[in-house]
Amino acid sequence: MPLGLGRRKKAPPLVENEEAEPGRGGLGVGEPGPLGGGGAGGPQMGLPPPPALRPRLVFHTQLAHGSPTGRIEGFTNVKELYGKIAEAFRLPTAEVMFCTLNTHKVDMDKLLGGQIGLEDFIFAHVKGQRKEVEVFKSEDALGLTITDNGAGYAFIKRIKEGSVIDHIHLISVGDMIEAINGQSLLGCRHYEVARLLKELPRGRTFTLKLTEPRKAFDMISQRSAGGRPGSGPQLGTGRGTLRLRSRGPATVEDLPSAFEEKAIEKVDDLLESYMGIRDTELAATMVELGKDKRNPDELAEALDERLGDFAFPDEFVFDVWGAIGDAKVGRY
């Protein structure tokens, strides 16, 4: 069904795909000291009200391959989070590949994205062995789903069973894609890497330069195919979530509603189907933009204004509109 809107591109995307593992963290809330003269803690007459105090959020973290437990706080986006983790363990920030929540394993359903449960434990996966692999593209589809960490690293989130890549056992879920045929991909978003892989000519060999996450002893023989389609993100079990934003301060929010969780899952599935990427934070932003829109044209305009660089095709926007509508009425 064609959309009747003349669509135009405006602002670049404000969403970053940030992946990490939340951990059980303490929540310390600062309390104001006693105020004199106001009675029952009220301000003194003639004085301005005290500034609103932000809760002090402290999260516990470990390196996924094994380390003592560190404590981190004071970050508002994923890049700052990686910086805090690197500082806690005295590592270069560039060594942190991605994070998972509440598990040290390379579990793509537990990647840290745009939200961290207030009681989640964060496991940081750092760079391990580097490898270079030649791949013969015998089919148009390689069987890869790509995501990124929101800080310049794109990596493999899923490998389709029986696909071209599935038969190459040197390539695993969690591997960071550093370069294709010598072209560096550091700083590229997931959709850019997915497009480059799709555009590679069929019937030719290409070279992937990869870096795998450093593994703990119990993970050395592990080669996961990634999260099962439709399994959905597992958010923290705490009283709320810390939502990280690419612009502006992080905010503490309630856990997503059942409608929002199902709509996000369905939109994330559409992103994989149309674009070869998975990004729960991008999907959450699209649901947030679309849940109050009256028709697909309004959704298309909102997506163009907020996420114009993705250049979503009309049929994709219409399917997103349908997925949000289905979730609203409980058609799962």
Side-chain angles (χ1 to χ4, degrees):
M1 174 178 175
L3 304 182
L5 180 71
R7 297 173 61 195
R8 59 189 186 281
K9 302 207 179 85
K10 292 186 179 179
L14 304 183
V15 177
E16 294 184 336
N17 182 37
E18 303 143 19
E19 325 243 298
E21 264 213 3
R24 293 183 204 124
L27 174 62
V29 181
E31 297 181 357
L35 297 175
Q44 290 182 339
M45 294 297 294
L47 294 179
L53 296 177
R54 289 185 183 177
R56 177 171 175 248
L57 302 177
V58 180
F59 294 89
H60 290 178
T61 183
Q62 289 181 357
L63 300 179
H65 63 274
S67 75
T69 299
R71 291 162 57 90
I72 56 173
E73 60 181 301
F75 55 89
T76 61
N77 57 53
V78 73
K79 292 181 180 179
E80 292 180 5
L81 167 63
Y82 291 168
K84 294 291 184 180
I85 291 172
E87 183 180 329
F89 296 108
R90 299 182 180 180
L91 297 170
T93 303
E95 287 297 301
V96 181
M97 290 176 59
F98 57 85
C99 297
T100 50
L101 301 171
N102 306 319
T103 178
H104 70 287
K105 296 182 179 180
V106 181
D107 184 343
M108 294 295 107
D109 286 333
K110 302 294 181 65
L111 278 170
L112 185 152
Q115 293 183 325
I116 307 173
L118 298 184
E119 295 181 4
D120 282 341
F121 198 104
I122 301 173
F123 287 89
H125 298 256
V126 300
K127 291 180 180 178
Q129 181 179 347
R130 286 175 167 80
K131 50 196 177 183
E132 196 165 290
V133 185
E134 289 193 345
V135 180
F136 178 72
K137 191 175 183 181
S138 57
E139 301 177 19
D140 290 330
L142 292 169
L144 287 177
T145 298
I146 309 298
T147 190
D148 63 45
N149 69 352
Y153 294 164
F155 55 94
I156 298 170
K157 186 166 187 178
R158 181 176 296 153
I159 298 173
K160 185 178 180 181
E161 186 176 355
S163 65
V164 172
I165 297 297
D166 190 40
H167 292 100
I168 304 175
H169 293 288
L170 281 175
I171 302 176
S172 299
V173 166
D175 286 354
M176 182 179 76
I177 305 176
E178 287 195 25
I180 299 175
N181 287 336
Q183 177 184 348
S184 175
L185 300 178
L186 299 182
C188 289
R189 293 300 314 273
H190 43 31
Y191 67 93
E192 295 173 308
V193 175
R195 183 173 63 241
L196 286 171
L197 290 168
K198 185 177 181 180
E199 291 174 350
L200 290 169
R202 181 175 177 176
R204 295 188 184 180
T205 298
F206 65 95
T207 302
L208 286 175
K209 185 177 180 182
L210 307 167
T211 299
E212 65 182 37
R214 185 174 174 183
K215 294 180 173 64
F217 180 77
D218 64 339
M219 298 162 58
I220 288 176
S221 62
Q222 175 179 306
R223 185 190 192 245
S224 169
R228 293 175 286 105
S231 57
Q234 302 295 318
L235 295 178
T237 57
R239 291 161 288 178
T241 63
L242 178 68
R243 183 165 184 181
L244 306 177
R245 302 179 184 276
S246 57
R247 296 187 181 182
T251 56
V252 177
E253 300 179 354
D254 292 335
L255 291 171
S257 66
F259 147 68
E260 289 170 329
E261 283 191 347
K262 183 53 63 174
I264 290 168
E265 180 182 328
K266 291 169 74 73
V267 172
D268 205 20
D269 288 344
L270 288 171
L271 285 169
E272 181 173 27
S273 175
Y274 275 87
M275 302 178 66
I277 65 174
R278 290 194 78 87
D279 186 336
T280 55
E281 177 61 12
L282 175 58
T285 298
M286 296 175 75
V287 170
E288 184 178 339
L289 291 172
K291 63 185 180 182
D292 297 325
K293 298 299 182 287
R294 295 170 295 180
N295 55 59
D297 288 338
E298 289 187 2
L299 174 61
E301 186 173 8
L303 292 176
D304 280 348
E305 183 165 347
R306 180 82 174 268
L307 303 169
D309 277 9
F310 285 91
F312 298 122
D314 286 350
E315 58 269 24
F316 171 77
V317 175
F318 188 77
D319 283 349
V320 169
W321 167 257
I324 295 173
D326 287 347
K328 279 183 180 179
V329 299
R331 284 198 300 265
Y332 302 151

